[in-house]
Amino acid sequence: MDRNHLKRQVDFMKRSLLDQGYLDEQFIQLEELQDDDNPNFVEEIVTLFFNDSARLLQNIEQALVSGPIDFAKLDNYMHQFKGSSSSIGAKRVKNECTRFKEYCTAGNAEGCFRTFVQVKQEHAILRTKLESYFQACISFIWQDKLDHLGLQEVKLDDYMDEGGSLIMDLYYKYDEAHMIK
Amino acid sequence: MGMAAEAQYHVLAVDDSLLDRKLIERLLKTSSYHVTAVDSGSKALEFLGLLEDDDALAPSVSLNDHHQDVDVNLIITDYCMPGMTGYDLLRKIKESKSLKDIPVVIMSSENIPSRINRCLEEGAEEFFLKPVQLSDVNKLKPHLLKGRDKESEPSINKRKGMEECYSHDKTRTKYDGLEVV
């Protein structure tokens, strides 16, 4: 695929994520904080979010299924989770968190359970979508750099491991070897 | 170090959320501030050389020499933190002879007018709604300059009770003046 096509793909995916409300303006802000000195900032922050949120979701789930519900504790966990969601611009996830907190405040256990399912679902969907998005970004950056060197297109599939993730080592070693900056 | 013609401003950021710490750090560094980020109010006080239940250690009698080198030009802290809240931290700083002139900014994910007023009345320079953006960080400069020049005390005006601060949505309301928009 050529560079322009890949760029269009990235832009399209981002536009979709925004239009469909998965992400909001905050995500754009994060991208604006990325520069040559911090080229992976967004991906780092998002990775942090998903690591952190996995833990929080587990805590919330535990709190929901074990014994009498401690709404204050639930609210506290969800407050943290909502905060992180908001910080990365995860709009739909954040909105579900708000609904969950409302049920907590109302002491409505059933509402909490129902909404929690939604929270987990939105969280999982966003994770998948962002993984695709970052892969598209990497494809573009890769091709862009190769173009810059006047090299032929490289089939990225050759560099994908079984998990489908790009072998970043190769990418960085290539960078170092050719001192692209 | 420190031989630069124009020394960098040093900002101490306090937030219990790792994600938010990363974010504020990036925001501040993008604006060319030197940043130290800690995860609690007590760690902040420790860094500032102020022991929790004691009065400030005057630099000249500091038991810990390294604290004499600490020169913080602004403190930006989250409001909701376990243990010591941002408000508690603000109070301790304002009650301290050695630290009271350091400008303090509070961040919070919750838009609660009474909370905002309380912080401003206690001496906070600004109150930022999370997620904090570059446009917010751009508002820090005047406070840093003011902090440097001890002769200009923050105006008493702004502490007049502002009953309801509305705000919100996209625009970050400035609470600097008396204006209630």
Side-chain angles (χ1 to χ4, degrees):
Chain A
M1 277 196 215
D2 83 335
R3 176 214 179 271
N4 292 329
H5 181 105
L6 290 167
K7 179 73 170 71
R8 277 197 301 276
Q9 188 173 57
V10 167
D11 291 340
F12 176 77
M13 287 175 88
K14 181 162 38 175
R15 187 66 357 231
S16 301
L17 288 167
L18 288 164
D19 288 345
Q20 291 166 47
Y22 288 104
L23 296 173
D24 62 27
E25 175 62 28
Q26 177 61 14
F27 189 81
I28 306 299
Q29 291 278 320
L30 293 182
E31 289 198 324
E32 283 173 11
L33 289 173
Q34 200 157 262
D35 58 22
D36 289 338
D37 295 326
N38 298 272
N40 304 308
F41 176 69
V42 184
E43 205 173 344
E44 282 167 12
I45 285 270
V46 169
T47 302
L48 207 63
F49 169 72
F50 283 110
N51 288 341
D52 213 36
S53 56
R55 176 186 58 88
L56 280 168
L57 287 175
Q58 215 165 27
N59 289 342
I60 294 169
E61 182 136 15
Q62 263 309 110
L64 278 171
V65 302
S66 41
I69 295 191
D70 182 347
F71 288 106
K73 192 157 131 181
L74 274 179
D75 190 67
N76 188 34
Y77 283 138
M78 197 44 93
H79 179 80
Q80 291 177 55
F81 185 61
K82 182 182 167 186
S84 307
S85 306
S86 171
S87 291
I88 67 156
K91 188 172 171 186
R92 285 203 190 185
V93 174
K94 182 183 72 169
N95 290 342
E96 291 303 331
C97 291
T98 303
R99 286 178 55 216
F100 185 95
K101 288 187 79 188
E102 283 165 7
Y103 283 120
C104 273
T105 308
N108 182 339
E110 203 226 315
C112 285
F113 274 102
R114 268 189 291 117
T115 315
F116 184 61
V117 171
Q118 295 296 108
V119 170
K120 278 203 295 186
Q121 199 165 44
E122 287 299 340
H123 179 258
I125 291 170
L126 182 64
R127 181 179 218 143
T128 306
K129 286 186 182 285
L130 282 176
E131 272 169 5
S132 303
Y133 174 70
F134 287 129
Q135 285 203 343
C137 287
I138 289 167
S139 302
F140 163 65
I141 292 166
W142 180 261
Q143 191 57 55
D144 195 38
K145 294 208 176 191
L146 290 173
D147 280 2
H148 190 76
L149 291 175
L151 296 176
Q152 271 184 330
E153 288 179 14
V154 170
K155 275 190 70 186
L156 277 165
D157 283 341
D158 296 340
Y159 300 102
M160 297 282 185
D161 64 20
E162 274 170 23
S165 47
L166 191 61
I167 299 174
M168 294 305 290
D169 265 356
L170 184 66
Y171 171 63
Y172 288 126
K173 280 186 181 126
Y174 185 84
D175 252 357
E176 277 167 27
H178 295 264
M179 291 188 294
I180 299 168
K181 243 328 171 315
Chain B
M1 292 252 83
M3 296 303 284
E6 195 187 321
Q8 269 186 313
Y9 288 114
H10 183 192
V11 178
L12 176 63
V14 191
D15 200 315
D16 61 312
S17 157
L18 175 58
L19 197 153
D20 286 348
R21 269 201 312 282
K22 287 276 161 221
L23 187 50
I24 194 73
E25 203 170 352
R26 186 83 214 100
L27 282 164
L28 290 165
K29 283 183 174 167
T30 292
S31 308
S32 303
Y33 296 119
H34 172 53
V35 186
T36 299
V38 296
D39 66 6
S40 71
S42 42
K43 293 229 180 100
L45 291 175
E46 201 183 302
F47 182 80
L48 292 163
L50 178 64
L51 299 177
E52 247 190 83
D53 293 317
D54 301 347
D55 200 1
L57 293 175
S60 55
V61 298
S62 174
L63 297 170
N64 188 341
D65 271 338
H66 120 84
H67 287 305
Q68 284 181 279
D69 299 331
V70 169
D71 187 17
V72 171
N73 303 116
L74 183 135
I75 298 161
I76 180 162
T77 176
D78 188 25
Y79 184 94
C80 278
M81 295 188 291
M84 193 186 298
T85 66
Y87 179 75
D88 298 328
L89 177 61
L90 168 66
R91 285 194 66 188
K92 287 204 189 276
I93 289 166
K94 292 304 169 189
E95 282 164 9
S96 149
K97 283 189 289 272
S98 59
L99 303 175
K100 67 177 172 57
D101 290 323
I102 303 178
V104 181
V105 170
I106 311 277
M107 309 178 276
S108 176
S109 52
E110 291 170 305
N111 182 5
I112 300 172
S114 56
R115 170 185 294 185
I116 297 170
N117 284 332
R118 195 153 43 103
C119 289
L120 293 175
E121 280 171 21
E122 195 58 41
E125 304 293 335
E126 293 266 4
F127 192 102
F128 293 157
L129 287 173
K130 282 180 160 185
V132 177
Q133 299 183 344
L134 215 46
S135 54
D136 295 311
V137 174
N138 291 340
K139 296 180 191 171
L140 296 177
K141 211 39 162 333
H143 300 299
L144 282 156
L145 294 170
K146 221 190 323 187
R148 277 265 162 104
D149 173 19
K150 307 250 167 89
E151 305 203 44
S152 56
E153 279 298 312
S155 80
I156 313 260
N157 289 341
K158 82 176 172 208
R159 306 236 179 68
K160 268 218 168 114
M162 286 191 276
E163 278 319 305
E164 283 313 302
C165 289
Y166 346 124
S167 55
H168 129 92
D169 277 329
K170 317 280 178 116
T171 58
R172 302 278 185 259
T173 308
K174 263 201 86 160
Y175 298 102
D176 259 352
L178 275 178
E179 290 185 330
V180 173
V181 176

